[in-house]
Amino acid sequence: MVEFLKENFLSPFVLVAVVFCIFIYSGFFKSKERFPYKSLIPLEKIETASGIVCSNPSKISSGKSYVVKLKLSSVSGEISGAKINSQASGKISVLVPAKIVESLYPGKLYSSSKNGVIIEEGETITFYGKFSKSFFSAESAEQLQQPQSLKQKIFRFRAFCRFAFKRLMYGWGSAGGFILALLSGSREYTDSSLCETFRNAGLSHVLALSGMHLSFFSSIAVGTGKKILGKKFDFWLRLFGILFFVWFAGLSPSLFRALLCSLILLFCGIFFCVQVNFFKVLCFVFLLHCMIFPDDIFSAAFILSYGALAGILLFGNAFKHIFQSFFPKKISDSLSASAGAQSVAFPLSLALFKSAAPGGILASVAVCPLVSIFLTFSMVAILFSFMIPFLSPFFGAIMNFLYQIIKLTAELFALLPLVEF
């Protein structure tokens, strides 16, 4: 135990990360917003906000609106009875009605709109509305037609790819909505009852884009590429798989953590670093993440993502010694990883949400392998559906069968009562 503490907690990265956590989460030190609002017009007076959308639209719990981040270029508002336009900088959160965001989504109530607005990352938009509390509440939106930079053209291509993917997934019903959430982070078509079931079963991390999804996509890219290009391109295939998935899905706190960890470990392999202390890497990534995206520090996704992985790295081996006496290696490895994650995630969930699922350990062991099988079949089904469109309904039926198995398994664990206070 002493050797374990010396090895992990005498590293500069670990010590700095621990001290930083104590200062930031105790309230002693408050982080400043990295891109604060700056303009001649006070924030509470703005009526129009123009700029570039810099995040994926995220649906709020009520389902009536979405939240996006807007990098401002100009604002306007009324001051002392006069309409004033002003340049602006910084980022604000915009609350956008669902009818605007979903105007181009397949199968949605508003998808027949002729004047649909593309609310996706990289798009230049003007929102009309008013500022309320910490959000700018949009009532309408307008797509600004102007010459696009190469970066914006790439983002427009990404938006069209996401729309095409949503059209295919919409045709697969509930299974398609589940795949959409797993591969792109979009939950517009995810069954609301499934989200509730996963939450009560302690499986919310499955729907949150993270290292599990990133490693799966990287493995798919390597497995496919090796058959075509050979083993010597292993590094580039993994790098392409990781970067493509993150580009398509968009950055979330948990996915950015997984991206940084994956890139560091990938480059360590190139330079023949045989022994890598994963906990020290996690602490370094934590500090780097806080510098790049300080706004993520207090988000639940950020806290739970780092907490769960830290639990696996710190306590996973201790649980393994217990479980390997009773179970085969594969089962004991899964149980120890799940128990390590829950040892930290459980108290964090109680602190953040005032409730936690005690069955999360067993639920993860049972459901995560099923999700991996589901994702593997989904990649094959998506490929063949794009190549041979008339086979799409056939593959959709198979995916819905697998989806029902996952849902029923999760529902069994969701029957366990939540721990609340």
Side-chain angles (χ1 to χ4, degrees), residues 3-14:
E3 290 297 325
F4 174 82
L5 293 175
K6 285 183 179 180
E7 181 183 357
N8 287 285
F9 287 92
L10 291 184
S11 165
F13 289 128
V14 177

Side-chain angles (χ1 to χ4, degrees), residues 372-393:
S372 296
I373 295 171
F374 179 83
L375 280 174
T376 303
F377 275 98
S378 71
M379 296 301 295
V380 176
I382 290 168
L383 178 63
F384 276 97
S385 294
F386 275 121
M387 293 173 57
I388 313 173
F390 69 83
L391 290 179
S392 180

Side-chain angles (χ1 to χ4, degrees), residues 191-221:
D191 188 351
S192 58
S193 65
L194 179 74
C195 296
E196 184 69 19
T197 297
F198 270 48
R199 189 180 303 113
N200 293 337
L203 294 167
S204 295
H205 62 280
V206 174
L207 292 175
L209 297 180
S210 61
M212 181 184 79
H213 307 80
L214 200 62
S215 61
F216 172 82
F217 207 87
S218 173
S219 298
I220 289 291

